[in-house]
Amino acid sequence: MTTIKLYNTKTRKKEVFEPLRRDDVRMYVCGPTVYDRAHLGNARPVVVFDVLYRLLRHVYGEAHVTYARNFTDVDDKINARARETGRAIGEITAETTQWFLDDMGALGALEPDHMPRATDYIPQMIAMIERLVAERHAYEEEGHVLFAVESYSDYGRLSGRTVEDMIAGARVEKAPYKRNPMDFVLWKPSSDDLPGWESPWGRGRPGWHIECSAMSYELLGESFDIHGGGNDLMFPHHENEIAQSRCAHPEGDFARVWMHNEMLQVEGKKMSKSLGNFFTVRDLLDQGIPGEVIRFVFLSTHYRKPMDWTAEKAKEAERTLRKWYRLAGLSGESSRYDPLVQALSDDLNTHEAISQIHALANAGDVNTLRFGLEMLGLWPGAIPKWAEIEGFTDAETGTISHLIQRRETARKKKDFAEADRIRDGLARAGVKVVDTPEGAEFEKLPNYDVNVLDEVWGGL
């Protein structure tokens, strides 16, 4: 079986991945707070862990991998949006949840096996909080229930910080009901105009951190294999998840492998509305940038490195994908290519995987090319509309693209007789080829004859 190695944030090293059970690999990834469109940075972890999901399914079998990603649909940002717009909270969260699914689907992301919504798991959150209070890891003050950070000796181990460092370096909410500035809210009271549920501590709503602990426990158990998210969540969210989960269920390990993707920049600068470089995924899609192109740009950079979105990268990605799709249109099936699987198995080295696909395309190996596109989630099942050549079928497009690729290879080898033969054959078939700085383009002429094209193909 393929050996997968993953960088574990918890241990600060790359490790051989050994699931708790090979027939039941489990992964949890923190999802969005649904009050607005997903911005470009929100999409990076979706794409990163979608590739990991595809790899795990390839190695262990689709029936043996469970992937859960949550929706936070109870949050003060949602409440604020409801006040601003005068719309019902349920209406806002339903709409933005569907927006998220549509936009991520446009990026080629598979839907996880479970997509729990926080509001569907309030009883489970209350039960976990009750357990923490009973074990003296949490306490009630002024209608709030707070986790006592000092009760968990390993707090800070994931992020590598001491409690003192975290207090000094973080904007800690100061409140008179906290015994320790680092203690965090598990439950808080709700006024009549805010969402609320009855609990042993009165009508209220959960804090942010408890929801992922409760939902991952219900769906994946007290121990599971992988927990992922952006590195902005490492502290405090993931640190708090670990503390409350390990204290509520000390019999388990919670997540064994922690993976975090780096952040995204735009044209070399932090994405910010004040800089005018803030984009949602929908903004780019509406500008005519295909979802496959956005995904390609994301995957061109290793997930643990900062990623810079630029207009030039998007243009280059579109040129590359047009070439690949036109070749893949010739493929009748995909053929496994082990070196590419090995690249992805080395801590999701998507940059190396893309380099290998370049080589497969240059060699005209269309079946393994399609396999590589499938593994990266870049093959939509057929040549997408934006990459089609008007008037040609996918098979014809693939044949012509392959002939042009063979012509380019012959030129590089200075086999000009072969290059001229292919050029003349395409001309006889009624295919006009135009060489541009971005690569060769082609179009159908009035004398196009697919039978002649087949003869040229057969004569290679």
Side-chain angles (χ1 to χ4, degrees):
M1 180 176 283
T2 302
T3 297
I4 297 176
K5 293 183 179 180
L6 301 173
Y7 184 85
N8 189 349
T9 306
K10 185 168 63 174
T11 60
R12 304 292 192 277
K13 62 183 179 181
K14 195 186 298 186
E15 302 171 338
V16 173
F17 175 64
E18 290 288 352
L20 289 163
R21 290 174 13 208
R22 288 181 171 268
D23 63 346
D24 185 21
V25 182
R26 289 160 287 163
M27 176 171 71
Y28 186 94
V29 175
C30 290
T33 300
V34 283
Y35 69 100
D36 207 344
R37 288 279 187 186
H39 63 68
L40 205 54
N42 297 143
R44 193 178 191 196
V46 173
V47 172
V48 166
F49 292 103
D50 181 68
V51 173
L52 179 56
Y53 182 42
R54 291 169 185 271
L55 175 64
L56 293 172
R57 283 157 55 108
H58 177 78
V59 173
Y60 295 99
E62 293 183 12
H64 304 303
V65 179
T66 302
Y67 174 21
R69 187 186 65 219
N70 72 296
F71 286 106
T72 297
D73 61 350
V74 52
D75 184 88
D76 288 343
K77 291 179 181 178
I78 301 172
N79 300 337
R81 182 56 52 88
R83 284 194 296 270
E84 292 168 6
T85 62
R87 299 177 66 195
I89 286 173
E91 182 182 345
I92 292 171
T93 58
E95 178 181 63
T96 51
T97 294
Q98 192 57 53
W99 282 351
F100 183 85
L101 293 174
D102 292 344
D103 292 349
M104 297 308 109
L107 302 188
L110 301 172
E111 290 195 355
D113 302 286
H114 299 289
M115 295 186 288
R117 287 156 173 75
T119 52
D120 291 336
Y121 287 79
I122 300 296
Q124 291 87 342
M125 296 180 208
I126 292 173
M128 181 172 279
I129 296 170
E130 286 183 305
R131 188 165 185 171
L132 289 169
V133 171
E135 297 297 324
R136 298 186 179 181
H137 291 294
Y139 59 93
E140 180 185 3
E141 289 287 350
E142 298 182 22
H144 294 75
V145 181
L146 297 106
F147 184 86
V149 166
E150 290 180 344
S151 73
Y152 182 61
S153 59
D154 284 341
Y155 192 82
R157 179 169 291 186
L158 178 69
S159 55
R161 311 181 194 182
T162 65
V163 172
E164 291 74 19
D165 289 340
M166 287 184 275
I167 293 174
R171 289 178 293 178
V172 177
E173 180 190 359
K174 296 181 180 179
Y177 47 77
K178 284 188 175 184
R179 298 176 185 173
N180 181 312
M182 290 301 299
D183 292 349
F184 56 89
V185 172
L186 301 172
W187 190 263
K188 52 189 172 183
S190 290
S191 57
D192 292 340
D193 62 331
L194 291 175
W197 291 263
E198 292 303 322
S199 79
W201 318 285
R203 183 178 180 275
R205 61 195 190 279
W208 173 34
H209 312 296
I210 192 66
E211 66 177 70
C212 287
S213 287
M215 290 188 286
S216 63
Y217 174 73
E218 288 298 317
L219 296 171
L220 306 179
E222 71 277 0
S223 300
F224 56 93
D225 298 298
I226 299 169
H227 195 313
N231 68 359
D232 58 322
L233 297 179
M234 191 186 310
F235 176 80
H237 185 52
H238 290 164
E239 203 74 78
N240 292 351
E241 276 189 71
I242 293 172
Q244 61 201 12
S245 294
R246 292 298 309 276
C247 290
H249 299 286
E251 70 279 8
D253 295 325
F254 193 41
R256 299 175 70 239
V257 177
W258 284 85
M259 298 177 66
H260 294 90
N261 64 275
E262 256 290 355
M263 296 296 98
L264 174 143
Q265 296 178 323
V266 175
E267 303 290 349
K269 297 179 181 179
K270 182 179 179 181
M271 189 167 65
S272 166
K273 290 181 179 178
S274 63
L275 294 175
N277 65 352
F278 182 92
F279 302 109
T280 67
V281 173
R282 180 50 52 182
D283 288 335
L284 295 182
L285 293 171
D286 288 347
Q287 290 170 21
I289 299 177
E292 296 92 349
V293 169
I294 299 171
R295 186 181 181 100
F296 184 99
V297 175
F298 281 1
L299 298 180
S300 297
T301 301
H302 190 271
Y303 79 93
R304 285 195 289 114
K305 294 182 179 180
M307 197 213 85
D308 190 20
W309 172 272
T310 69
E312 183 53 40
K313 284 182 179 179
K315 291 177 183 176
E316 179 60 32
E318 184 169 340
R319 288 193 292 265
T320 299
L321 286 173
R322 283 183 189 276
K323 173 184 173 183
W324 288 357
Y325 287 149
R326 291 168 186 178
L327 286 170
L330 186 63
S331 173
E333 59 182 15
S334 63
S335 298
R336 178 186 169 102
Y337 186 63
D338 286 333
L340 189 138
V341 175
Q342 290 164 9
L344 293 180
S345 298
D346 183 14
D347 194 34
L348 293 188
N349 193 342
T350 54
H351 178 78
E352 171 60 24
I354 286 174
S355 296
Q356 292 188 16
I357 296 176
H358 274 294
L360 293 171
N362 290 337
D365 193 343
V366 295
N367 287 354
T368 49
L369 165 64
R370 196 173 105 180
F371 171 80
L373 293 173
E374 289 173 348
M375 286 298 295
L376 290 179
L378 288 169
W379 179 243
I383 299 177
K385 290 290 183 184
W386 60 267
E388 287 180 348
I389 301 294
E390 186 176 354
F392 293 106
T393 67
D394 286 358
E396 289 168 348
T397 298
T399 299
I400 297 167
S401 297
H402 188 68
L403 287 169
I404 292 173
Q405 185 65 55
R406 291 286 293 267
R407 186 195 62 160
E408 292 303 313
T409 301
R411 281 178 170 178
K412 290 176 182 177
K413 293 180 177 179
K414 300 188 184 301
D415 186 353
F416 298 113
E418 174 71 359
D420 290 346
R421 190 179 72 79
I422 295 173
R423 179 201 62 198
D424 294 343
L426 287 168
R428 283 191 296 108
V431 178
K432 180 181 178 180
V433 180
V434 179
D435 292 310
T436 73
E438 289 78 30
E441 294 292 336
F442 54 92
E443 61 184 75
K444 181 184 287 188
L445 297 175
N447 65 325
Y448 175 71
D449 189 332
V450 69
N451 294 317
V452 177
L453 180 66
D454 289 341
E455 289 175 10
V456 178
W457 172 259
L460 291 179

